[in-house]
Amino acid sequence: MTVLVTGGAGFIGSHSVEALLAAGAQVVVLDDFSTGKRSNLPPEHPRLTVRSGDIRDAQAVAAALAGATHVLHLAAQVSVRASVDDPVDSSTRNVSGFLTVIDGARRAAVKRVVYASSAAVYGVPAQLPLDEAASCLPLSPYGLEKLVDDQYAALFAALYGQSLLGLRYFNVYGPRQDPASPYAGVISRFAAQLAAGAPLTVFGDGRQTRDFVFVKDVARANVAALQCDHGGVVNVGTGARVSLLDLIAALGRCAGRTPQVRFDPPAPGDIRDSAMTPARMREVLGFVPGTALDEGLRALLHA
Ligand code: NAD
Ligand code: UD1
């Protein structure tokens, strides 16, 4: 298997590259290094090629696809809050970029494409927990972009017979999630604030809930998804529902001290509650996440 991993220098991407190399695959990374880092990847590996390029550039995508049998498409603008602040940049990466990659894969007759969708597509849940048949009412440009991607993928499968699977990740956390940006994922921000002895900044009342899944588990799910031939979309999470206040308590337990907390105004576009059913994930991917929240937080705090 020769896998093109777009966004392979990023957080989920670099762990996925590691898992693919361990599984014996040949790997090509295409990344514009806007948030990803070369240092997230092994400095040298006989089965790894790293290319700098933009997924919105059809020629760069075609060149990176030469010889690829599979694509793991992860490159994107990943922040819900950034998509509210700059919806145009977000859509060029998340819709035009997505389309350029799946169309490039079609032209290159790649066997299979697995791509990152998101729990953000569900938006306001009619009921919890969410299964894949739940209605989608996105609350942010980001959620809408990922939903459009799912619709493009279904259309390409029907029109061209392409093999595509979208993974609706819930909230992924772990080592290498960059805390630097104000748009960074909540656990990476809280871990950095805790290390600096600063108060943890909670947007809203802290009672919003998320399903936090450890990145090495997600990397395993990605490998399983490339190896199966199911289409459509699959939720990827743990099935647990954790509020930010519960998360802060867990971080305090793992760090051995009680964090200070500051409450800021709620973030526009934010989902209130998120929880998934793991049935399809188990059936389609044969995948069960193995890392409990405290274990994953300890791995992050001691990385
Ligand atoms: P990340 O920012 O670490 O990774 C994104 C990577 O894509 C980076 O390496 C970045 O440099 C690259 N990139 C961005 N725009 C690009 C472009 N135009 N051309 C080439 N490369 C580009 O974020 P991540 O958390 O690893 O996210 C990976 C994927 O998973 C994204 O599609 C994201 O939407 C999705 N996702 C993430 C989560 C999560 O909780 N982290 C949850 C659901 C879905
Ligand atoms: C995250 C991912 C998104 C993914 C989605 C799936 C990132 C940056 N975003 O979005 O790619 O598609 O999960 O569910 O990885 N918060 C604070 N304080 C902070 C930062 C955040 O209180 O300093 C709050 C947010 O308002 C939100 C929650 O924490 O309520 C989670 O935020 P965030 O980590 O940015 O994730 P999502 O927006 O859920």
Side-chain angles (χ1 to χ4, degrees):
M1 169 153 97
T2 297
V3 189
L4 170 63
V5 184
T6 70
F11 164 52
I12 299 174
S14 61
H15 288 278
S16 302
V17 167
E18 262 176 26
L20 285 165
L21 290 172
Q26 194 84 32
V27 178
V28 178
V29 165
L30 178 66
D31 203 298
D32 72 350
F33 301 102
S34 49
T35 56
K37 296 188 193 109
R38 180 62 184 84
S39 58
N40 283 341
L41 291 165
E44 260 177 60
H45 191 287
R47 282 183 281 109
L48 173 65
T49 308
V50 181
R51 304 178 70 108
S52 175
D54 195 308
I55 53 162
R56 294 164 290 190
D57 173 352
Q59 282 182 348
V61 170
L65 277 165
T69 56
H70 294 66
V71 173
L72 178 60
H73 175 51
L74 302 173
Q77 184 300 106
V78 311
S79 163
V80 169
R81 297 187 297 287
S83 79
V84 173
D85 291 348
D86 190 348
V88 175
D89 177 73
S90 191
S91 93
T92 67
R93 290 174 195 271
N94 293 0
V95 182
S96 308
F98 174 84
L99 194 53
T100 306
V101 170
I102 65 165
D103 194 53
R106 173 179 75 85
R107 289 168 193 274
V110 160
K111 282 189 199 148
R112 179 151 176 85
V113 178
V114 172
Y115 66 92
S117 181
S118 167
V121 300
Y122 296 115
V124 189
Q127 60 181 54
L128 287 171
L130 294 154
D131 65 24
E132 291 79 355
S135 56
C136 293
L137 293 165
L139 286 166
S140 62
Y142 173 87
L144 180 60
E145 290 151 12
K146 293 287 183 177
L147 182 59
V148 170
D149 292 352
D150 289 345
Q151 292 176 344
Y152 262 120
L155 188 66
F156 270 48
L159 266 181
Y160 306 120
Q162 235 178 319
S163 171
L164 291 139
L165 180 68
L167 300 181
R168 290 181 173 168
Y169 305 136
F170 281 61
N171 286 60
V172 189
Y173 73 98
R176 298 189 207 135
Q177 189 171 30
D178 191 350
S181 146
Y183 297 124
V186 66
I187 292 188
S188 67
R189 277 177 59 86
F190 282 1
Q193 288 164 344
L194 194 62
L200 312 194
T201 52
V202 173
F203 303 153
D205 62 7
R207 294 185 196 282
Q208 63 265 54
T209 57
R210 293 292 186 273
D211 180 336
F212 294 107
V213 57
F214 192 60
V215 66
K216 287 188 193 297
D217 288 331
V218 170
R220 276 198 298 121
N222 289 343
V223 175
L226 286 164
Q227 287 168 338
C228 75
D229 58 6
H230 287 79
V233 291
V234 178
N235 289 340
V236 173
T238 65
R241 188 173 163 197
V242 176
S243 73
L244 291 194
L245 298 179
D246 292 340
L247 170 68
I248 290 167
L251 276 165
R253 262 194 319 273
C254 296
R257 66 195 132 97
T258 308
Q260 300 168 50
V261 178
R262 192 183 82 203
F263 290 91
D264 285 349
D270 223 17
I271 289 176
R272 180 70 187 170
D273 288 308
S274 187
M276 56 82 85
T277 44
R280 186 161 154 81
M281 175 182 85
R282 287 190 188 138
E283 181 198 321
V284 167
L285 306 180
F287 165 75
V288 179
T291 314
L293 183 62
D294 280 30
E295 188 188 341
L297 292 177
R298 278 199 191 92
L300 172 65
L301 295 176
H302 301 126

